[in-house]
Amino acid sequence: RSCNVAIEADIFARLTAHAGTTALVGTRVYPSIAPTGATLPHLVYTRITDSAVEAMQNSTGLRTAEFEIACYASSYTATQALTTQVQAALNRYSGTPSVHLIQEILIESVDTDYDPDAERHYSDVIITVWYEG
């Protein structure tokens, strides 16, 4: 397994192990895109970047990855509840949820909006993951 795929497995493992997120979405946590007609609410996680952290001419063994966690729901209130649980699951988390030792996850930003074409509310939670890879 490559580091890129494995860190995605870590994010999936953390989101599905957190009682607050699973209480709201169950197993509806999808990589990149949700299946057509996916029941709301659900989460979609997408890796935006993944890079090695270098120091002078040596590898540190650390990597950083940036993810977007999209929280979809049928109402603004439900979207906010799901966003709160995603933040609780990920913010300042450290540990080994699946494959890698995660040093720390930081919430970088949260943006909330409404998609009139799909008739659903959503929030995008952008995170940075510092991990050993």
Side-chain angles (χ1 to χ4, degrees):
R1 251 177 153 171
S2 73
C3 288
N4 291 346
V5 173
I7 193 62
E8 291 175 348
D10 290 320
I11 295 302
F12 176 82
R14 180 64 189 152
L15 289 170
T16 57
H18 185 262
T21 54
T22 58
L24 297 173
V25 299
T27 59
R28 295 182 307 275
V29 179
Y30 308 107
S32 298
I33 60 171
T36 303
T39 301
L40 295 174
H42 63 260
L43 298 173
V44 175
Y45 60 96
T46 305
R47 182 181 40 84
I48 301 168
T49 64
D50 191 327
S51 59
V53 176
E54 301 294 328
M56 301 300 274
Q57 296 178 354
N58 297 315
S59 175
T60 65
L62 268 177
R63 296 186 67 84
T64 62
E66 187 176 60
F67 281 84
E68 173 187 65
I69 314 297
C71 308
Y72 294 101
S74 58
S75 72
Y76 176 81
T77 302
T79 301
Q80 292 305 304
L82 183 53
T83 301
T84 297
Q85 290 307 312
V86 166
Q87 289 175 303
L90 299 175
N91 195 37
R92 300 289 184 179
Y93 173 79
S94 62
T96 308
S98 177
V99 179
H100 294 97
L101 172 59
I102 292 177
Q103 295 288 335
E104 188 167 35
I105 297 176
L106 301 172
I107 305 292
E108 299 296 340
S109 66
V110 177
D111 178 40
T112 302
D113 207 345
Y114 177 73
D115 180 352
D117 295 330
E119 297 182 352
R120 63 185 179 187
H121 294 262
Y122 67 91
S123 286
D124 290 328
V125 179
I126 305 298
I127 63 169
T128 299
V129 182
W130 290 81
Y131 69 101
E132 294 180 16

